[in-house]
Amino acid sequence: MNANLADDALYRIDMMQVSASDDPSPCLGLGLAAAPPFDAGAREALKRIARQHEPVPPGSRLHEAGEPFTAIHAVRSGAVKTVRRDASGEERIVAFHLPGEFFGLSAIADGHYATSAVTLTTTAVCSLPGQHLFRLACEHAGLQRQLMRLLSGAIRTEQGQYAALAGHNAEVRLAFVLDQLRARMNHPAHAGATLRLPMTRAELGSSVGLAAETTSRLFHRFTDRGLIEARGRRITFLDPLALHHLGAPASAAEASAAAARAADHLPVVDSTCS
Amino acid sequence: MNANLADDALYRIDMMQVSASDDPSPCLGLGLAAAPPFDAGAREALKRIARQHEPVPPGSRLHEAGEPFTAIHAVRSGAVKTVRRDASGEERIVAFHLPGEFFGLSAIADGHYATSAVTLTTTAVCSLPGQHLFRLACEHAGLQRQLMRLLSGAIRTEQGQYAALAGHNAEVRLAFVLDQLRARMNHPAHAGATLRLPMTRAELGSSVGLAAETTSRLFHRFTDRGLIEARGRRITFLDPLALHHLGAPASAAEASAAAARAADHLPVVDSTCS
DNA sequence: CGGGCCGTTGACTAGATTCAAACGCGGTGG
DNA sequence: CCACCGCGTTTGAATCTAGTCAACGGCCCG
């Protein structure tokens, strides 16, 4: 069926991204998402300023909200959560970060980290000191471009999460985040293999605004329907496609025929003010 | 009281930001948030590539999700909403954009707009074509830096919205968004002046995942408590401080004494790999 | 003057949180 | 090797919040 083909293509892309990010030092690829037009010089220079950290135990705090910005970080192995403490003292999870993904990007704006970063499992990260990175970006256009893409991609991801959260019920929200995790954890779309979640039910729920109990109940429901099989943190995706479609309402619909529209329907008053 | 002083300072900053963004062409200041270390050359060059568009009527679609990326946009006057259409065909509001604010930033990542942008009122925008902007950023370090800050700031804003949405009830969510709007619309913190919201109840609610009816009921409740006074889109903030505190649980708590911590508690394995 | 959109209000319902208690599992120490 | 302890998870029951459906009123614009 047509829908199946489209879905397969989607998942293949996911897998490529993740397998590419198996690179032990994502800092050197800078997120690599799309085009990697890196001249060798830029990559070499990145290598010089990148700091490779050795693994730290679960629960380690990598940076705290409010601390002055020093560097952006990427996960080499393991998993990290970024959290915000709200006025009532509760800790709310902003995002999870898996191998190959960057965090701490929101600190560039005003020179202070907006979130705290905590490791969920034994985790190794690498970091790119801001000062050096920005200097380098001045010299290498490709690097600058890729850095912009990285930041822009983070905005897009946040927007997606936000849209997923707003106006969808618990079931869709959890399906969405589980599907996301599966895709990002280098897990094939076809049924079968098992994988170990790095976070608790409470954390998983908190990341989409659900109570731990609700999350547990939904796990049960998904199991009943044959979508997944879960024992503790071990989860098996029995029907990843169904799970994906369940969470799909939260994803943006593809704009099909938007190409035809020209971009100049805004009247230009003063285009090249001398 | 101490709390009052702190709040006053907060609001004063808000006002300064907005009054500064009264600049008819925010593109030339590039968001201006923090430090503006713009050499005159950069500003002059920005002026050359910036396009100033004349006002368009409400409901105009500025760009569609899926269209190829051409430029980033900023609001000069009026208001814009960015929306996503989800799989069930429903339109979900991602954000509102008021004068001085940029939108379309998430399109840089993969060269396609992730959202559609629609004007809420008669609105004038200006735009910075991506190609020219990136070329310029290569030549002017200050501009590059400011562009990064702009993108990073957008990430932070999204994270804040996200945290506000997750795990807070309708009352807090609406108070949060109202307080945000008041602050961004150049509206003084002290009680009094009236301002005209550019969006409907349904849009306001949708932006924080609420039904239009719920939004209306909350307006009523806030009015009963003497926080606001609303007739249609005209809203008067009778007790902005109380409203701010009501929505505050959604804001990140200030990390008070985070300065003491050093940033090098991560063991460095390979800092300058030759 | 008419019509449509926006806003309001009420009643009902479904869904998610909360409180409470029990269970399983992995770890540690005896 | 086994007993014990603690955390994370599960399950149940009650509560309540917010969504939905429906109808009405009002405002603005044509």
Side-chain angles (χ1 to χ4, degrees), chain A residues 65 85-86 112 156 162 207 253 255, chain B residues 65 85 112 156 162 207 249 253 255:
Chain A
R85 188 173 301 280
D86 66 23
H112 293 271
R156 173 171 304 222
Y162 184 75
S207 79
Chain B
R85 188 173 301 281
H112 294 271
R156 172 172 303 223
Y162 185 75
S207 79

Side-chain angles (χ1 to χ4, degrees), chain B:
Chain B
M1 288 166 86
N2 203 355
N4 263 339
L5 268 170
D7 279 316
D8 282 342
L10 180 79
Y11 288 125
R12 211 170 304 124
I13 290 171
D14 285 339
M15 290 181 58
M16 286 172 57
Q17 289 181 336
V18 177
S19 68
S21 73
D22 272 340
D23 180 329
S25 189
C27 281
L28 307 188
L30 245 197
L32 54 82
F38 268 13
D39 46 293
R43 198 183 163 88
E44 198 54 41
L46 264 185
K47 207 172 182 179
R48 254 192 307 280
I49 69 167
R51 287 162 162 261
Q52 309 294 340
H53 304 278
E54 65 185 24
V56 296
S60 307
R61 306 189 70 91
L62 303 179
H63 60 67
E64 293 293 332
E67 278 181 358
F69 170 67
T70 56
I72 65 175
H73 304 280
V75 180
R76 286 199 293 160
S77 65
V80 170
K81 64 175 176 182
T82 44
V83 301
R84 270 171 164 243
R85 188 173 301 281
D86 67 23
S88 47
E90 295 296 307
E91 203 173 69
R92 309 232 159 254
I93 292 187
V94 173
F96 299 115
H97 305 279
L98 302 179
E101 299 174 351
F102 280 77
F103 60 94
L105 300 177
S106 62
I108 297 173
D110 73 348
H112 294 271
Y113 291 104
T115 58
S116 301
V118 185
T119 57
L120 292 168
T121 64
T122 298
T123 298
V125 308
C126 56
S127 53
L128 291 167
Q131 298 305 331
H132 298 138
L133 180 59
F134 296 138
R135 194 165 325 136
L136 226 59
C138 292
E139 302 165 14
H140 301 273
L143 175 58
Q144 184 219 48
R145 198 81 181 69
Q146 188 61 23
L147 194 49
M148 300 271 187
R149 266 196 277 263
L150 184 65
L151 290 167
S152 173
I155 298 174
R156 172 172 303 223
T157 302
E158 287 290 332
Q159 282 179 350
Q161 291 267 122
Y162 185 75
L165 206 50
H168 289 288
N169 61 24
E171 191 173 291
V172 172
R173 299 218 291 262
L174 187 63
F176 176 77
V177 66
L178 281 180
D179 182 57
Q180 289 258 95
L181 284 175
R182 180 202 52 71
R184 287 154 61 198
M185 286 179 89
N186 190 16
H187 200 273
H190 50 75
T194 295
L195 100 86
R196 182 176 179 77
L197 295 175
M199 71 292 283
T200 68
R201 295 281 189 277
E203 287 167 333
L204 197 53
S206 162
S207 79
V208 287
L210 299 179
E213 296 95 327
T214 306
T215 310
S216 180
R217 274 185 259 267
L218 286 172
F219 263 72
H220 191 92
R221 198 186 301 177
F222 289 166
T223 302
D224 277 353
R225 293 199 210 151
L227 298 180
I228 61 171
E229 200 172 86
R231 253 197 326 277
R233 297 195 181 183
R234 290 253 162 230
I235 181 173
T236 307
F237 292 89
L238 297 178
D239 192 348
L241 239 60
L243 192 68
H244 176 76
H245 287 132
L246 186 54
S251 310
E254 308 302 296
S256 44
R261 301 172 48 85
D264 51 5
H265 48 297
L266 284 170
V268 173
V269 174
D270 167 6
S271 60
T272 63
C273 158
S274 68

Side-chain angles (χ1 to χ4, degrees), chain A residues 57-141:
Chain A
S60 306
R61 306 189 69 90
L62 302 180
H63 60 68
E64 294 292 332
E67 279 181 358
F69 170 66
T70 56
I72 64 175
H73 304 280
V75 180
R76 285 201 294 161
S77 66
V80 170
K81 65 175 176 181
T82 43
V83 302
R84 267 171 168 244
R85 188 173 301 280
D86 66 23
S88 47
E90 296 296 307
E91 203 173 68
R92 310 233 158 253
I93 292 188
V94 173
F96 299 116
H97 306 278
L98 301 180
E101 300 174 350
F102 280 77
F103 60 94
L105 300 177
S106 60
I108 297 173
D110 73 347
H112 293 271
Y113 291 105
T115 59
S116 301
V118 184
T119 57
L120 292 169
T121 64
T122 298
T123 298
V125 308
C126 56
S127 52
L128 292 167
Q131 299 305 331
H132 297 138
L133 181 59
F134 296 138
R135 195 165 323 135
L136 226 59
C138 292
E139 302 165 14
H140 301 273

Side-chain angles (χ1 to χ4, degrees), chain A residues 187 192-195 227-230 234-239:
Chain A
H187 200 274
T194 294
L195 97 86
L227 299 180
I228 62 171
E229 200 172 88
R234 291 251 162 233
I235 182 172
T236 307
F237 292 88
L238 298 177
D239 192 349

Side-chain angles (χ1 to χ4, degrees), chain A residues 21-273:
Chain A
S21 73
D22 273 340
D23 181 328
S25 189
C27 281
L28 307 188
L30 245 197
L32 54 82
F38 267 14
D39 46 294
R43 198 183 163 89
E44 198 55 41
L46 264 185
K47 207 172 181 179
R48 253 193 306 279
I49 69 167
R51 288 162 161 261
Q52 309 294 341
H53 304 279
E54 64 185 24
V56 295
S60 306
R61 306 189 69 90
L62 302 180
H63 60 68
E64 294 292 332
E67 279 181 358
F69 170 66
T70 56
I72 64 175
H73 304 280
V75 180
R76 285 201 294 161
S77 66
V80 170
K81 65 175 176 181
T82 43
V83 302
R84 267 171 168 244
R85 188 173 301 280
D86 66 23
S88 47
E90 296 296 307
E91 203 173 68
R92 310 233 158 253
I93 292 188
V94 173
F96 299 116
H97 306 278
L98 301 180
E101 300 174 350
F102 280 77
F103 60 94
L105 300 177
S106 60
I108 297 173
D110 73 347
H112 293 271
Y113 291 105
T115 59
S116 301
V118 184
T119 57
L120 292 169
T121 64
T122 298
T123 298
V125 308
C126 56
S127 52
L128 292 167
Q131 299 305 331
H132 297 138
L133 181 59
F134 296 138
R135 195 165 323 135
L136 226 59
C138 292
E139 302 165 14
H140 301 273
L143 176 58
Q144 184 219 47
R145 197 80 181 68
Q146 187 60 23
L147 194 49
M148 301 270 187
R149 267 196 277 263
L150 184 66
L151 290 167
S152 173
I155 298 173
R156 173 171 304 222
T157 302
E158 288 289 333
Q159 282 179 351
Q161 291 267 121
Y162 184 75
L165 207 51
H168 290 287
N169 62 22
E171 190 172 292
V172 171
R173 299 217 291 261
L174 187 64
F176 176 77
V177 67
L178 282 180
D179 182 59
Q180 290 258 95
L181 285 175
R182 180 202 52 70
R184 287 154 61 198
M185 286 180 89
N186 190 17
H187 200 274
H190 52 75
T194 294
L195 97 86
R196 182 175 180 79
L197 295 175
M199 70 292 284
T200 69
R201 296 279 188 279
E203 289 166 331
L204 198 52
S206 162
S207 79
V208 287
L210 299 179
E213 296 95 325
T214 306
T215 310
S216 179
R217 274 184 256 268
L218 287 171
F219 263 72
H220 190 91
R221 196 187 301 177
F222 289 167
T223 303
D224 277 353
R225 293 198 209 152
L227 299 180
I228 62 171
E229 200 172 88
R231 249 197 330 277
R233 295 193 182 186
R234 291 251 162 233
I235 182 172
T236 307
F237 292 88
L238 298 177
D239 192 349
L241 240 59
L243 193 69
H244 175 76
H245 287 132
L246 188 54
S251 310
E254 308 304 293
S256 45
R261 301 172 49 86
D264 51 6
H265 47 298
L266 283 170
V268 173
V269 175
D270 168 7
S271 59
T272 61
C273 160

